Amino acid sequence: MEEFKIVLPLYVDLPRKKVKDKRVRINLNIYRNLNPFTENECKKKYQEIVKELLPKISYEKIEIEFTMFKKFYNKDGTIKKTIIDKSNVYSIATKYFLDALVSAKVIEDDNDLFVKRETINPTEYIENNEEERIEIIVKKWSKIWKKI
């Protein structure tokens, strides 16, 4: 298998015993304000989600391509006043995703020796009945460099 696609949510639901489960959005603005214990819960939960979706495969080197699918309209049909700053989402989603790939032994490490290219595509805006998500394509790195 030269590549695979994985679809991930833009949030995680953290179970709570006495109150309603806590939904935490995967976003740098949220991440930096989280209690360290809650942040660790988010990371573990996201890694669980990723590991359930990963094929049993390993690569020496990879490239990854991200596309975010986000709603453009409010529930009442009006256009949202704020358009998402996708780097806030990708920074945390990438961190959690790559850590999950290392943990699942898909790649040896998540440094530049093993993750050779990361591509962030333009945000795709979707209808309100669709689920917001990130689609990630992981490809085996096969770039051959020629000496000039």
Side-chain angles (χ1 to χ4, degrees):
M1 181 186 306
E2 296 292 317
E3 71 178 50
F4 63 89
K5 180 167 101 173
I6 196 165
V7 179
L8 296 170
L10 295 179
Y11 59 84
V12 292
D13 290 324
L14 302 177
R16 297 293 181 247
K17 291 181 181 176
K18 295 184 179 181
V19 295
K20 183 180 171 185
D21 289 353
K22 182 176 185 168
R23 178 164 282 185
V24 180
R25 298 193 70 76
I26 303 301
N27 186 311
L28 181 62
N29 293 331
I30 304 296
Y31 173 88
R32 68 178 181 203
N33 293 316
L34 284 176
N35 172 296
F37 177 76
T38 305
E39 187 279 321
N40 193 45
E41 278 185 287
C42 288
K43 181 178 178 178
K44 286 180 180 180
K45 184 68 172 177
Y46 209 74
Q47 285 187 348
E48 286 174 19
I49 294 167
V50 171
K51 285 180 181 181
E52 288 175 10
L53 299 171
L54 284 175
K56 301 289 186 224
I57 194 164
S58 67
Y59 294 126
E60 185 178 331
K61 298 175 183 177
I62 61 169
E63 60 180 294
I64 51 179
E65 180 180 331
F66 295 91
T67 307
M68 183 171 21
F69 293 82
K70 192 81 175 106
K71 293 178 183 171
F72 187 68
Y73 297 98
N74 294 311
K75 289 180 181 177
D76 64 3
T78 58
I79 295 175
K80 289 188 175 187
K81 290 183 179 178
T82 57
I83 303 298
I84 193 156
D85 180 352
K86 65 182 163 193
S87 62
N88 285 335
V89 175
Y90 286 121
S91 61
I92 302 305
T94 301
K95 174 184 176 10
Y96 288 172
F97 180 72
L98 290 175
D99 286 349
L101 291 183
V102 172
S103 177
K105 299 186 183 339
V106 173
I107 55 176
E108 185 178 327
D109 202 347
D110 58 358
N111 63 35
D112 286 345
L113 295 175
F114 301 95
V115 181
K116 302 305 279 182
R117 179 184 295 148
E118 296 173 70
T119 304
I120 299 174
N121 292 326
T123 303
E124 299 276 339
Y125 289 97
I126 57 175
E127 297 297 322
N128 277 358
N129 60 346
E130 293 183 65
E131 190 70 28
E132 293 183 322
R133 63 198 182 276
I134 296 176
E135 291 185 2
I136 304 171
I137 298 173
V138 178
K139 299 177 184 177
K140 178 180 178 182
W141 178 254
S142 60
K143 185 77 172 177
I144 299 172
W145 293 95
K146 293 182 179 179
K147 291 186 178 180
I148 300 176

